[in-house]
Amino acid sequence: MAMSSARKGWAAVGLAASVSLVLAACGGDDGDDDTAGGGDTGGGDADCAFAEDYGDLEGTQVSVYSTIVAPEDAPLEASFDTFEECTGMTVVYEGSDEFEAQLPVRIQGGSPPDLAIIPQPGLLATLVRDYDAVIPVPDDARANVEASFDAAWIDYGTVDGTYYGTPFGANVKSFVWYSPSAFEEAGYEIPETWDDLIALSDQIVADGGMPWCAGFGSGDATGWPGTDWVEEVMLRTAGIDVYRQWYEHEIPFNDPQVVEAFDTVGEILKNDQYVNGGLGDVSSIATTRFEDGGLPILQGQCWMHRQASFYQANWGDGVEVAEDGDVYAFYLPGIDPAQGNPVLGGGEFTAAFTERPEVQAFQTYLSSDHWHAERASKGNFVSANKTVPVDAYDSPVNQLSAEIIQDPEAAFGFDASDLMPAEVGTVAFWTGMVNWITGASTQETVDAIENAWP
């Protein structure tokens, strides 16, 4: 088992087990690159045929650093077990909620990890351009990605024409968490439009409740949940083309369309009648840990919490996540019908900082169909790998997330702050959201972020 020292981050989601999508078979049975070769190369009961592709790794060790901390780190580490058992390699895993700040420090200090799971393409670009520290992706890993992922996932991991980061996990962020039983008891219906969402919020207030709860806290990454809110609304008001112009700085950050998105978000998050149920006033959003932001739903202290698919790991033991369970999620409705039903998503990327053969082998494995199927089997994970069947995922929320990501017709917008230069997306934008929710005006906030653009 991987050694750990110590994150992260259409209508009702009611497809559950009925979700079906015709996909290519998972790589474990078809004799492709991940399963080629003969018998068992390791111990235990694992089918180790795939491991022959990676050579003799007995006695080697690879360190992996990431934002993923408890409770999300347990299934991640479990997904490394088969590779360790079959190859003799040891994976030393470390997760930290100070990852974004500490990784550059470790690089500058001459002690980078062998591999890092990087949650922002903008940060990856900064590490390449400012530190010249990232090793290009091995040819075998690139071939894996080209075979099983949409081509956009290579673009996300490419900096100045060189491919540096292979896709790790993916997520859908356009979900609103709620209690199905509480909605049923109160007679509330899942909103299908933004106007319905606001009308529902007003009805909850009229009935004496607090409709929303939220938290922006995330250690050194505090503020990122607020950027997601703005990105969701930008996709829904300005559309995917303007959204792209925004993160590529073809329009300034203080463009009137961005101001409109902030102000639309403010109609919910800065409304003291709407937030922050069970947690405090509007300003408490800045200090509430994002992991705790939705938990008041379980106590009936708030009704809705906008957060990504991965949030399901934070509900705790004994909480059933299902359409008829304790909590579930519905799609965050659109605003402008002309923009359709866009989806905000994100993902992590594996990048190497050392060029040892065992490091290249493990990065290649983490890009393979075998690992993505293995990780899906451990729960609380979604992949953009198109060979992983939708029904391989452990929950209805993850199944729907995978279906949305794999749908070629979906208007999928990758998290804009993750695509912006790091000094904007993971510094000024995050900080700006904290300042905004604690009293700064929209214009002050967008001007300050625009001024941070390199």
Side-chain angles (χ1 to χ4, degrees), residues 14 59 84 116 153 180 221 246 275 280 292 330 332 335 338 378 409 415 417:
E84 292 179 291
W153 289 87
W246 176 47
V275 295
D292 300 332
F330 60 82
L332 180 67
I335 297 176
K378 305 302 181 185
E409 302 301 320
D415 187 301
S417 65

Side-chain angles (χ1 to χ4, degrees), residues 140-219:
D140 288 346
R142 181 178 184 124
N144 285 342
V145 179
E146 289 176 339
S148 300
F149 292 78
D150 187 275
W153 289 87
I154 287 186
D155 294 339
Y156 298 146
T158 296
V159 182
D160 299 332
T162 300
Y163 189 38
Y164 290 101
T166 53
F168 191 77
N171 57 71
V172 170
K173 299 192 174 190
S174 300
F175 289 140
V176 178
W177 294 89
Y178 74 110
S179 165
S181 60
F183 265 50
E184 182 178 7
E185 183 176 346
Y188 299 151
E189 296 184 357
I190 303 300
E192 296 184 2
T193 68
W194 190 268
D195 287 344
D196 291 343
L197 183 69
I198 298 303
L200 173 60
S201 300
D202 290 338
Q203 184 61 55
I204 291 170
V205 172
D207 293 341
M210 187 71 78
W212 293 91
C213 44
F216 286 4
S218 187

Side-chain angles (χ1 to χ4, degrees), residues 217-228:
S218 187
D220 284 346
T222 291
W224 70 260
T227 71
D228 285 0

Side-chain angles (χ1 to χ4, degrees), residues 70-91:
E72 296 174 62
D73 57 350
L76 170 61
E77 291 189 68
S79 75
F80 302 153
D81 290 351
T82 300
F83 190 83
E84 292 179 291
E85 180 180 342
C86 291
T87 66
M89 173 189 285
T90 297
V91 180

